[in-house]
Amino acid sequence: MWSYTFRRILATIPTLLAVVTVCYLLLHGTPGGPFDDERKVSAAVLANLQAKYHLDLPLWQQYLYYLNSLLHGDLGASFRYADWSVNELVAKALPVSAAIGGGAIVISLLVGVFLGTVAALRQNSVVDYLVMLLGNAGHVFPSFVIGPVLILVFAVWLKVAPAGGWDDFSPRFMVLPMLLLIFINVATIGRVMRGSLIEVLHSNFIRTARAKGLPMRTVILRHAFKPALLPVVSVIGPLAITSITSAIVTESVFSLPGIGKLIVNGAANRDYTLVLGLVVLVTVIAVTLNLLVDLAYALLDPKIRY
Amino acid sequence: MSLIEVNNLGVQFKTQDGLVYAVNGINFALERGQTLGIVGESGSGKSQSVLAMMGLLAGNGKATGQALYKGQDLLAMKPAELNKIRGNRVAMIFQDPMTSLNPYLTVERQMTEVLQFHKGFDRKSARARSVQLLDAVKIPEAARRITMYPHEFSGGMRQRVMIAMALLCEPEVLIADEPTTALDVTVQAQIIALLRDLQRDFGTAIIMITHDLGVVAGLCDEVMVLYGGRVMEQGSADSIFYGASHPYTVGLLGAIPRLDAGDEALVAIPGSPPNMARLPEGCPFSERCTLASAQCRDVMPALLPAAHNPAVLRACHKSVEAVSELAAKGAIHA
Amino acid sequence: MLFKNKDKQDQLVAALGRAVESAAADIHGRSPWADARGRFLRNKAAVFSLGLLAFITVCCVVGPWLLPNAFDAADWDAMSLPPMLKGWHFFGTDESGRDLLVRSLVGGRVSLLVGFLATLSAVTLGIVWGATAGFIGGKVDAFMMRVVDMMYAVPYLLIAILMVTILGRAFYLVVITITVFSWMDMARVVRGQTLSLRSKEFIEAARALGVPTRRIIFQHIVPNLLGIVVIYTTVTVPAVILVESVLSFLGLGIQEPMTSWGVLIHDGASVMEVSSWMLLFPAGLLSLTLYCFNYIGDGLRDALDPKER
């Protein structure tokens, strides 16, 4: 198991390196990019950039310095604001995104697996159709449509939740954003769980379990659940990635001071180095999440044990 | 009363093409320690009949008639009652050992749960008993092997595990649905021998589903030949083998390749298995039978005692003599 | 070469092909394409979606010419009007008095155009990438698929935002940015199909009969790829439209004075407390379009590859 883990970790390094390198080159290589002399920056910012990015050295040395600082956890300096480093901005924004995103994923898993199971066990019933409809809607409607509609319904018409904003982790401001994320995630998780449970229930080993006279509850919980969960686990990886995308939109829609908002504002401001640093950070998070999912999958499936 | 008594068992499936009658008019009685062989091609309804008895039909399937275990009708039972009998008094093993064991649970878990649930054993004693049974089916190093997952066993060993699992509660009836079809020929022989020994030791009655007449010959007391969901011929193994009185049975026997037959061409029954959604009005075998007449195609032959031996039941309009002539000529095919 | 006479050989191969095909078709002797078309046409949701999509497209293209209001004509006398029949303001107006119906249709033009262009390039890139990887196989294939995996591992929106930040928001750049993240599904699927086709028996048979490789590719491989390409194109288009809409919604996509559905939704969301129609109409149009593509895609998939769902 450990050697598998180790090898998976090794496999992620080329991806990370590739992303960082491509982004870095994009930044430096494009004409009209930030490091051309044409861009006018304030003296203070320039001094900062010089110190952090070693702009007077040849490109390959700059690159190595950059990698080095990344490995030390230093994400760089802002291009616009002399007194903010990327790390400082991240430290304030990450907890917000983590709280909303993390909470949403956990709740989505529980709700999605539950709904998918119920739908599978009561195929073609009202519950099943509702779950499928929900799944379809969450899948087709874009997050930036569902979000404002949620605000319209709950904040403007029903007035039960604030339309956005943030108040130091106060729950009122977390409900609607989490609801949006949960809706989108449950759509996928519910559908996958339903499909995979239905398929598992048709397999030969379930027939054997029933032939042994085991009660349906045992058959489902002990025999069917684990194999049915495998496709769900394997879908969490891509889901986490799209969640990051959804998070960016969500924070925009609800004006939440998280990483997503930071990226969007940075992009609007053309704060290149900030965006670069954030992109690297989020990619690392995404790749790590994917790795964890792969490991979870290996834990569940006894056939994958090297 | 008989251990198992099946009366007029029928199975229907609701499909897009309408109602499909997969099984019609099956009757048999099984006594303690007896072995019944149900023989037929794919799609003849042999598996569906026993799946119906065990309450394992697909969602769109429905069983009619009666399947009595010691007088209680299995088909009329609620799931909770049926569960007390399934795996406990009547056990079943399936065709494909690769997919019939849960790959995500250890063999130990899959075996001990049977004893825990049916006999109230605790985990430790259940495990000890399971190891004993694995020994009985000749799994080497059973105590060590039991903690492994199914994919770590070979095909033949997996089938032995299935058999051991089925015998944990010492059932009175074992239903074996083509247990050797997916296995190598040498392993087949071992499994059949194993079943014979276990039957002797445990006194279990066996219903053996197979398309392989060799298996039937080695194991069964009574034989039932199915085609198109109906019984063609039914009787003791000896009378069926040595005096087949139905064209289909004759064809089956003639189709067995023989090592001592020299250069003779392989004999096949012409045609292909019937389309169960579009059966003829009369005998389902009439489309492929050389003796078939208009009457055969239009009127369903009743399953009646044969003229030459009332202990044999046959469903055929033609006389026993006509069929024997056919057998002698070896000319089942046109 | 089995026959000295090339014509006879061609006839034989053609006859064998026909024989195999008709054996594969059902008793009525229809070709697989006719079968698929029949299945698709029987799928009411898919047919309806196709019609609706065509209607929306026609409206977006032709509508703005037929309607009296210009999409950028500010009318200070008609600011923030709810939907009404007067002045042809069926969808209402925005804070500058610009008619929302026309703006929605013009926005639709842009969204659909970007969708079409980006899909075209993404699909082309995907097919070339996938077919090459599948056909050459071996290490080249492994490497090319590794690149695909890496692309999947990265949250596309981030890189898209980065690209837009650096490269700017000119129309063609937006299209390129979107393309970069939309070709992978097609590549993967085409590669899989090519791999499986390469080793299929009828290809080997054709080779054994001496059919030249070019012939094999065009007569046998391409028709078999066609089905899956069509399916995944209908999957790619909504994904592409979605990427553009997200970027535009975040203010990082299509720029003023042009507008797209994403931009309109962004504008609408900011004033929805007082003028909810500003949000609902463009959002509705976008969602409707995406739904149509979804049903069409499902219908095509069921038609070309019928399996129990």
Side-chain angles (χ1 to χ4, degrees):
Chain A
M1 188 60 198
W2 290 117
S3 72
Y4 180 71
T5 314
F6 184 63
R7 262 179 299 132
R8 284 297 291 112
I9 295 180
L10 272 185
T12 64
I13 295 182
T15 310
L16 282 173
L17 206 56
V19 173
V20 171
T21 311
V22 167
C23 291
Y24 191 79
L25 289 175
L26 260 182
L27 218 52
H28 284 259
T30 357
F35 294 108
D36 272 4
D37 301 303
E38 295 174 23
R39 301 278 162 198
K40 297 191 192 71
V41 275
S42 71
V45 173
L46 196 57
N48 232 357
L49 291 178
Q50 280 282 65
K52 284 260 183 195
Y53 295 104
H54 309 268
L55 294 173
D56 41 352
L57 294 173
L59 189 63
W60 66 273
Q61 281 192 331
Q62 288 187 43
Y63 176 62
L64 288 176
Y65 267 112
Y66 185 63
L67 283 182
N68 186 34
S69 45
L70 277 183
L71 283 173
H72 283 94
D74 178 7
L75 291 167
S78 159
F79 198 73
R80 294 284 169 213
Y81 306 110
D83 32 336
W84 290 107
S85 76
V86 177
N87 282 35
E88 286 167 351
L89 293 170
V90 166
K92 288 177 50 181
L94 194 56
V96 178
S97 299
I100 306 250
I105 287 254
V106 170
I107 299 180
S108 312
L109 267 177
L110 293 172
V111 173
V113 166
F114 175 71
L115 283 180
T117 308
V118 171
L121 294 175
R122 305 248 178 284
Q123 250 190 300
N124 291 322
S125 68
V126 174
V127 177
D128 189 21
Y129 279 128
L130 278 178
V131 168
M132 289 301 278
L133 204 65
L134 201 79
N136 233 347
H139 181 66
V140 178
F141 287 112
S143 47
F144 58 92
V145 163
I146 304 177
V149 168
L150 280 178
I151 297 181
L152 200 59
V153 170
F154 289 103
V156 177
W157 290 343
L158 296 177
K159 297 204 194 329
V160 291
W166 183 257
D167 183 21
D168 206 18
F169 295 95
S170 131
R172 307 176 54 220
F173 293 96
M174 291 174 57
V175 170
L176 279 186
M178 281 180 71
L179 194 59
L180 174 59
L181 287 175
I182 292 173
F183 187 73
I184 297 175
N185 289 338
V186 164
T188 306
I189 296 178
R191 269 196 321 176
V192 171
M193 183 69 194
R194 173 189 183 272
S196 95
L197 188 57
I198 288 179
E199 209 180 297
V200 166
L201 286 175
H202 280 126
S203 42
N204 284 347
F205 60 84
I206 294 296
R207 186 181 56 181
T208 308
R210 293 177 63 203
K212 291 198 291 196
L214 298 172
M216 210 53 189
R217 199 189 60 237
T218 312
V219 173
I220 294 175
L221 288 177
R222 185 184 292 161
H223 285 260
F225 230 57
K226 238 210 273 184
L229 275 178
L230 282 174
V232 174
V233 169
S234 71
V235 102
I236 293 182
L239 202 65
I241 310 258
T242 51
S243 282
I244 294 175
T245 306
S246 309
I248 297 179
V249 170
T250 307
E251 290 176 16
S252 232
V253 168
F254 292 98
S255 302
L256 302 169
I259 301 275
K261 202 82 192 334
L262 212 53
I263 297 179
V264 174
N265 286 344
N269 271 338
R270 310 208 84 171
D271 190 339
Y272 311 93
T273 46
L274 172 63
V275 176
L276 174 65
L278 290 172
V279 166
V280 170
L281 171 69
V282 177
T283 308
V284 169
I285 295 177
V287 168
T288 311
L289 278 176
N290 250 329
L291 179 67
L292 288 175
V293 165
D294 278 344
L295 294 179
Y297 196 95
L299 267 176
L300 281 177
D301 187 351
K303 286 186 267 201
I304 307 178
R305 296 280 174 84
Y306 286 64
Chain B
M1 82 180 93
S2 307
L3 189 54
I4 297 271
E5 195 184 313
V6 170
N7 296 321
N8 205 17
L9 178 65
V11 176
Q12 295 118 36
F13 290 98
K14 251 194 278 203
T15 70
Q16 296 167 318
D17 298 320
L19 211 59
V20 173
Y21 292 85
V23 175
N24 299 280
I26 306 278
N27 295 280
F28 66 86
L30 192 68
E31 309 296 339
R32 286 200 157 57
Q34 246 193 348
T35 310
L36 167 70
I38 305 185
V39 177
E41 301 174 1
S42 323
S44 55
K46 48 194 203 298
S47 289
Q48 298 306 326
S49 0
V50 294
L51 285 175
M53 284 170 63
M54 291 284 280
L56 293 173
L57 285 179
N60 61 337
K62 196 168 77 95
T64 56
Q66 281 183 324
L68 303 175
Y69 164 73
K70 288 188 180 165
Q72 301 169 285
D73 188 6
L74 298 171
L75 300 181
M77 281 187 196
K78 294 213 198 43
E81 295 171 58
L82 190 57
N83 275 338
K84 293 206 200 102
I85 299 185
R86 292 199 287 209
N88 187 1
R89 313 313 320 141
V90 180
M92 186 159 174
I93 61 178
F94 296 94
Q95 177 173 340
D96 187 0
M98 308 294 155
T99 54
S100 295
L101 288 172
N102 191 331
Y104 303 95
L105 298 175
T106 58
V107 167
E108 189 257 346
R109 173 75 280 191
Q110 297 185 55
M111 291 184 78
T112 51
E113 66 181 349
V114 177
L115 288 170
Q116 280 180 306
F117 181 68
H118 286 297
K119 301 287 187 193
F121 278 38
D122 64 282
R123 191 78 179 249
K124 264 185 71 183
S125 4
R127 187 181 168 129
R129 180 84 183 116
S130 305
V131 172
Q132 274 183 341
L133 238 72
L134 286 179
D135 275 331
V137 296
K138 310 215 181 51
I139 301 268
E141 295 182 284
R144 187 178 69 86
R145 282 243 161 86
I146 198 171
T147 53
M148 290 185 182
Y149 287 90
H151 68 270
E152 301 177 79
F153 290 73
S154 75
M157 288 217 282
R158 260 180 266 189
Q159 195 60 295
R160 292 172 193 268
V161 168
M162 289 266 325
I163 295 174
M165 199 162 70
L167 294 174
L168 277 172
C169 297
E170 292 175 51
E172 285 150 322
V173 182
L174 175 67
I175 304 179
D177 187 359
E178 302 208 52
T180 57
T181 305
L183 303 171
D184 299 334
V185 169
T186 41
V187 178
Q188 266 190 39
Q190 291 171 1
I191 298 290
I192 299 297
L194 179 65
L195 284 174
R196 234 201 336 254
D197 291 341
L198 291 172
Q199 183 180 39
R200 184 195 59 212
D201 296 337
F202 287 85
T204 325
I206 300 182
I207 301 180
M208 168 73 80
I209 316 276
T210 179
H211 61 262
D212 186 343
L213 289 167
V215 165
V216 171
L219 196 59
C220 303
D221 306 313
E222 298 281 312
V223 177
M224 193 163 76
V225 178
L226 292 184
Y227 188 86
R230 294 184 180 273
V231 180
M232 296 286 106
E233 193 173 358
Q234 189 173 351
S236 74
D238 283 342
S239 43
I240 302 283
F241 268 100
Y242 295 111
S245 61
H246 191 282
Y248 179 54
T249 319
V250 172
L252 277 182
L253 288 168
I256 302 176
R258 300 184 52 158
L259 286 177
D260 59 345
D263 292 322
E264 283 170 29
L266 285 178
V267 178
I269 307 178
S272 36
N275 180 349
M276 296 304 289
R278 273 184 262 156
L279 286 171
E281 290 283 314
C283 175
F285 187 60
S286 54
E287 288 168 345
R288 302 166 74 182
C289 182
T290 32
L291 296 180
S293 62
Q295 183 200 30
C296 296
R297 281 183 277 274
D298 297 330
V299 180
M300 181 70 68
L303 188 65
L304 300 166
H308 68 300
N309 179 357
V312 169
L313 298 173
R314 61 193 290 270
C316 187
H317 288 302
K318 299 300 164 187
S319 68
V320 179
E321 292 76 38
V323 177
S324 319
E325 254 180 60
L326 203 60
K329 273 190 274 177
I332 277 297
H333 55 288
Chain C
M1 294 265 280
L2 276 186
F3 298 106
K4 292 237 152 92
N5 187 337
K6 192 166 178 307
D7 285 328
K8 263 213 121 166
Q9 176 180 305
D10 285 347
Q11 280 175 28
L12 175 63
V13 173
L16 279 175
R18 277 198 303 273
V20 167
E21 252 190 48
S22 70
D26 73 53
I27 324 172
H28 303 294
R30 292 203 304 264
S31 88
W33 293 115
D35 251 348
R37 192 177 59 224
R39 268 194 293 268
F40 184 82
L41 290 174
R42 266 175 281 153
N43 184 339
K44 286 181 266 202
V47 173
F48 180 70
S49 301
L50 196 57
L52 188 56
L53 190 63
F55 176 68
I56 294 179
T57 312
V58 167
C59 285
C60 288
V61 171
V62 171
W65 291 328
L66 297 178
L67 288 167
N69 300 309
F71 87 99
D72 51 359
D75 182 358
W76 308 110
D77 294 325
M79 294 193 290
S80 296
L81 294 174
M84 55 176 55
L85 291 175
K86 197 171 81 150
W88 296 78
H89 294 304
F90 298 147
F91 280 9
T93 62
D94 68 7
E95 343 58 277
S96 309
R98 293 179 292 191
D99 177 47
L100 189 61
L101 172 58
V102 175
R103 280 179 73 72
S104 298
L105 295 179
V106 170
R109 277 186 189 172
V110 174
S111 291
L112 291 171
L113 183 64
V114 170
F116 174 70
L117 288 174
T119 302
L120 198 62
S121 41
V123 160
T124 312
L125 177 56
I127 294 180
V128 169
W129 193 274
T132 314
F135 203 70
I136 300 185
K139 288 223 171 74
V140 172
D141 172 35
F143 172 73
M144 288 176 96
M145 283 304 116
R146 248 338 214 105
V147 173
V148 170
D149 284 339
M150 284 204 231
M151 293 293 295
Y152 271 130
V154 170
Y156 78 88
L157 193 57
L158 291 181
I159 313 287
I161 293 179
L162 185 66
M163 285 177 71
V164 160
T165 309
I166 298 170
L167 300 173
R169 292 161 58 191
F171 185 76
Y172 74 95
L173 287 169
V174 172
V175 173
I176 292 178
T177 306
I178 297 174
T179 306
V180 167
F181 293 99
S182 313
W183 58 276
M184 291 95 73
D185 269 346
M186 183 65 85
R188 225 173 17 116
V189 146
V190 165
R191 174 239 185 203
Q193 192 78 341
T194 311
L195 268 181
S196 88
L197 279 176
R198 222 172 38 140
S199 55
K200 275 232 165 31
E201 288 87 26
F202 68 87
I203 301 280
E204 283 182 36
R207 280 222 199 128
L209 282 171
V211 180
T213 311
R214 193 175 28 99
R215 258 284 191 72
I216 296 184
I217 294 183
F218 281 107
Q219 274 192 354
H220 297 285
I221 298 198
V222 166
N224 277 287
L225 279 182
L226 208 58
I228 213 154
V229 163
V230 166
I231 293 178
Y232 271 85
T233 305
T234 49
V235 167
T236 307
V237 176
V240 158
I241 295 181
L242 202 65
V243 176
E244 179 272 317
S245 302
V246 172
L247 282 175
S248 300
F249 175 80
L250 294 173
L252 302 169
I254 301 288
Q255 279 175 309
E256 291 276 313
M258 281 206 284
T259 185
S260 80
W261 281 331
V263 174
L264 288 171
I265 295 177
H266 168 84
D267 293 340
S270 56
V271 295
M272 71 177 157
E273 286 175 43
V274 286
S275 341
S276 58
W277 60 89
M278 292 281 301
L279 166 71
L280 294 172
F281 279 116
L285 272 175
L286 176 64
S287 307
L288 211 56
T289 308
L290 292 175
Y291 247 108
C292 285
F293 273 111
N294 237 278
Y295 279 122
I296 295 174
D298 279 348
L300 278 175
R301 215 170 323 184
D302 280 342
L304 289 167
D305 179 26
K307 256 190 271 193
E308 278 246 49
R309 282 234 246 159

